[in-house]
Amino acid sequence: QEQLVESGGGLVQAGDSLRLSCAVSGRTISTYGMGWFRQAPGKEREFVAAINWRGTYYADSVKGRFTISRDNAKNTVYLQANSLKPEDTAVYYCAAARVPRSAVTNPREYDYWGQGTQVTVSS
C-alpha cells in the first residue's frame, strides 16, 4: 500500500514562501492523480490544488500564489506556496488517487492520504 509523507511545513511570516513535499513509497505515481488539501482548526478539509494527466487545478483562494508540480522519477509531488497569508494557516495533506477522475476537488476521490504537515503564517 502506498504511503505518503509530507514535509516542508513550518512557521513563516505573511508574504513568505514555503515548498511542501509529498514523498510516495510503493507504486509509481506517474499515472496517479495527486492533490493537496488543507484543514484549519474548526473547519472542514478543503481542496487546495491537484495535478493529473489532464493538467493542474487550484482553489480560487490560492490561484496565482501556489503551484503544484510532480517529479515522477522521485515519486514526489510539490506545492510551492508563495505570498502566504495568515488565512493559509492549516495542516496540509497530500492525497493520491489511483484512477484520476474529474472531481479533483472531492477528497472522497482519493485513495491514500499522508499524515499532514503544519503551515502557520503569522501576520
Side-chain angles (χ1 to χ4, degrees):
Q1 181 168 334
E2 284 75 351
Q3 291 188 327
L4 285 62
V5 179
E6 302 96 334
S7 62
L11 172 62
V12 297
Q13 294 185 333
D16 286 350
S17 299
L18 281 175
R19 188 194 195 200
L20 307 184
S21 299
C22 172
V24 183
S25 60
R27 296 184 181 181
T28 178
I29 63 169
S30 59
T31 61
Y32 283 21
M34 302 297 299
W36 285 95
F37 290 76
R38 67 187 182 187
Q39 188 166 17
K43 295 187 177 181
E44 292 187 353
R45 190 168 298 191
E46 66 172 1
F47 169 76
V48 176
I51 185 168
N52 60 31
W53 64 272
R54 297 184 185 90
T56 56
Y57 309 84
Y58 297 95
D60 288 343
S61 59
V62 306
K63 200 170 294 183
R65 299 187 298 122
F66 289 15
T67 302
I68 188 171
S69 62
R70 66 196 301 166
D71 186 336
N72 291 333
K74 295 182 178 180
N75 243 31
T76 300
V77 177
Y78 304 98
L79 184 69
Q80 178 68 42
N82 298 330
S83 303
L84 284 161
K85 305 175 181 179
E87 51 263 44
D88 293 320
T89 296
V91 177
Y92 283 70
Y93 297 91
C94 176
R98 290 193 304 268
V99 180
R101 295 180 178 88
S102 58
V104 297
T105 64
N106 187 348
R108 297 174 184 172
E109 295 296 327
Y110 294 83
D111 304 294
Y112 307 106
W113 291 83
Q115 293 300 308
T117 184
Q118 176 71 47
V119 172
T120 303
V121 185
S122 64
S123 57

